């Protein structure tokens, strides 16, 4: 950013899910680089609990598939598709939205069959690398380095970052100018996927960003 683009400061770093994790890492690694940080669908805490348990199942599920052949496969191992669909259903979609969209066994079966029939375009080795790379994510020890104004946008029904644990609120107490926008759960929200729809937060984000001071340099 500084050497290639010549940027000494940016107005905003915003990211969703893994992008939100990157926003947290930017904040603690380069504390003076952004006026504002908006990490979404993420927490500045260790990769743990259900979030890591399910990611570990993706990695182990693919590696333990005999067709994986230690990563030297000729065709994509079938387990890659299976664990991807499993993780997507288990950690995304929202409880109320799932009840709305799959209120019967037949409806649920149709959704599952459609997902399993969809083309799997990922590469198993890449897939393993992507999920395994998050194992050591944990910016919590350096949160006091953050000098940017921070707006965390999470969803109340986020399966990967459940607000009821209280770990996010505890972390935000260590950041001077931090605020949480928690989107209420509803049949229209989609759990971890909620923040992929800007209608749930665009107005609040715009109003908040207008209050963030611009720093020179």
């Amino acid at each position: 950013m500084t050497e290639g683009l010549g940027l000494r400061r940016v107005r905003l770093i915003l990211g969703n899910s893994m992008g939100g994790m990157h926003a947290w890492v930017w904040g603690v690694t380069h504390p003076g680089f952004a006026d504002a940080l908006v990490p979404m669908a993420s927490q500045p805490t260790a990769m743990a609990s259900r979030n890591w348990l399910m990611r570990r199942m993706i990695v182990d599920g693919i590696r333990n598939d005999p067709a994986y052949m230690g990563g030297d496969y000729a065709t994509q191992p079938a387990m890659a598709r299976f664990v991807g669909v499993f993780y997507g259903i288990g950690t995304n979609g929202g409880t109320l939205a799932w009840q709305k969209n799959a209120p019967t066994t037949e409806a649920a079966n149709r959704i599952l069959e459609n997902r399993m029939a969809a083309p799997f375009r990922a590469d198993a080795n890449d897939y393993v690398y992507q999920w395994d790379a998050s194992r050591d994510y944990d910016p919590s020890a350096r949160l006091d380095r953050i000098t940017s104004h921070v707006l965390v946008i999470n969803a109340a029904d986020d399966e990967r970052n459940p607000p009821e644990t209280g770990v996010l609120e505890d972390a935000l107490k260590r950041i001077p100018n931090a605020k949480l926008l928690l989107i209420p759960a509803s049949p229209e929200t989609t759990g971890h996927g909620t923040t992929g729809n800007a209608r749930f937060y665009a107005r609040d984000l715009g109003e908040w960003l207008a209050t963030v001071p611009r720093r020179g340099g």
Side-chain angles (χ1 to χ4, degrees):
M1 296 287 283
T2 57
E3 297 177 6
L5 298 177
L7 297 177
R8 300 178 62 185
R9 178 181 295 279
V10 296
R11 177 63 174 159
L12 169 67
I13 295 177
L14 179 149
N16 184 54
S17 190
M18 187 173 288
M21 294 161 64
H22 277 286
W24 284 116
V25 173
W26 268 93
V28 301
T29 307
H30 307 287
F33 190 67
D35 291 340
L37 299 175
V38 180
M40 303 191 297
S42 61
Q43 297 180 154
T45 53
M47 178 55 64
S49 191
R50 179 197 292 127
N51 201 354
W52 174 247
L53 291 168
M54 297 288 281
R55 291 169 189 243
R56 170 74 186 274
M57 289 182 69
I58 291 176
V59 174
D60 288 358
I62 295 174
R63 285 176 171 167
N64 290 330
D65 185 340
Y68 182 63
M69 300 179 64
D72 191 23
Y73 46 84
T75 59
Q76 297 296 328
M79 186 57 69
R81 177 199 303 272
F82 179 84
V83 295
V85 172
F86 183 84
Y87 183 76
I89 292 173
T91 69
N92 197 11
T95 301
L96 297 179
W98 273 120
Q99 184 60 37
K100 174 185 176 183
N101 296 322
T104 65
T105 304
E106 292 76 12
N109 281 335
R110 283 196 299 272
I111 291 173
L112 178 58
E113 289 160 6
N114 288 337
R115 291 200 174 194
M116 290 300 296
F120 181 76
R121 304 192 186 283
D123 176 75
N125 277 330
D126 287 345
Y127 210 52
V128 167
Y129 177 84
Q130 291 166 24
W131 293 110
D132 195 42
S134 64
R135 67 167 57 243
D136 60 353
Y137 168 79
D138 185 6
S140 62
R142 299 190 291 170
L143 292 179
D144 56 348
R145 299 191 69 217
I146 295 178
T147 59
S148 303
H149 287 243
V150 179
L151 176 64
V152 181
I153 304 178
N154 278 10
D157 55 351
D158 187 335
E159 301 89 345
R160 302 179 198 179
N161 305 287
E164 56 268 31
T165 64
V167 296
L168 176 59
E169 285 80 358
D170 289 343
L172 294 186
K173 293 175 183 177
R174 299 171 52 199
I175 306 171
N177 296 297
K179 178 181 179 181
L180 170 64
L181 171 60
L182 189 65
I183 302 168
S186 76
E188 305 305 315
T189 57
T190 54
H192 186 71
T194 298
T195 46
N197 191 332
R199 72 183 176 91
F200 291 113
Y201 62 82
R203 180 174 179 178
D204 294 281
L205 171 57
E207 292 176 350
W208 172 81
L209 188 58
T211 69
V212 176
R214 293 181 180 271
R215 294 181 289 182

